[in-house]
Amino acid sequence: MRKPVVCLVLALLATGCGTTPLQPRQETGTDLISRYFDSFNRAGDQGPEEQQRFLEDARHPDFTGQECELGDLTMDIYPAMSTVRPDPDWSPDGEDPPRGEVFVVAVSLTVRRAGAAIGEQIGSQRVVLLDRRVYGFAPCPKS
């Protein structure tokens, strides 16, 4: 009596019970924002030069003239992802709003020199999602 049950189970497993395979989930805007901060912090773990390169690569194309020179500093930015919300009326320093979807998120920021924390702040940071890429607008620490 057990043999037919085992055969039925094996037959169902072989055919997949008529279900379609799961499709990979496309990353949401929140996923992309979270990945941006993870990449930012990983770059900082590699040192000031690598984090500087990250900032240059993540500069919004409408604001290429605004540079942040880190010098010998690195930053750790930890977002409270549950606070991410649209902020469509924001624009940096009174300029035209950036192209894309603007979001604001509460963050905890630590500034480091040679690995030692020299300053901490809790505040808000704006990020822009444009063509499935995230660009950050953050205060620039001074050496």
Side-chain angles (χ1 to χ4, degrees), residues 15-64:
T15 63
C17 302
T19 61
T20 57
L22 293 176
Q23 298 297 319
R25 179 180 72 85
Q26 184 170 353
E27 287 182 303
T28 65
T30 304
D31 293 334
L32 295 170
I33 292 168
S34 180
R35 189 160 36 102
Y36 166 85
F37 286 109
D38 289 343
S39 298
F40 179 89
N41 290 333
R42 276 196 309 277
D45 291 344
Q46 301 297 314
E49 297 84 12
E50 189 62 30
Q51 196 163 55
Q52 184 71 50
R53 267 192 293 282
F54 178 89
L55 287 172
E56 290 166 4
D57 291 344
R59 189 176 305 131
H60 192 285
D62 294 347
F63 297 90
T64 56

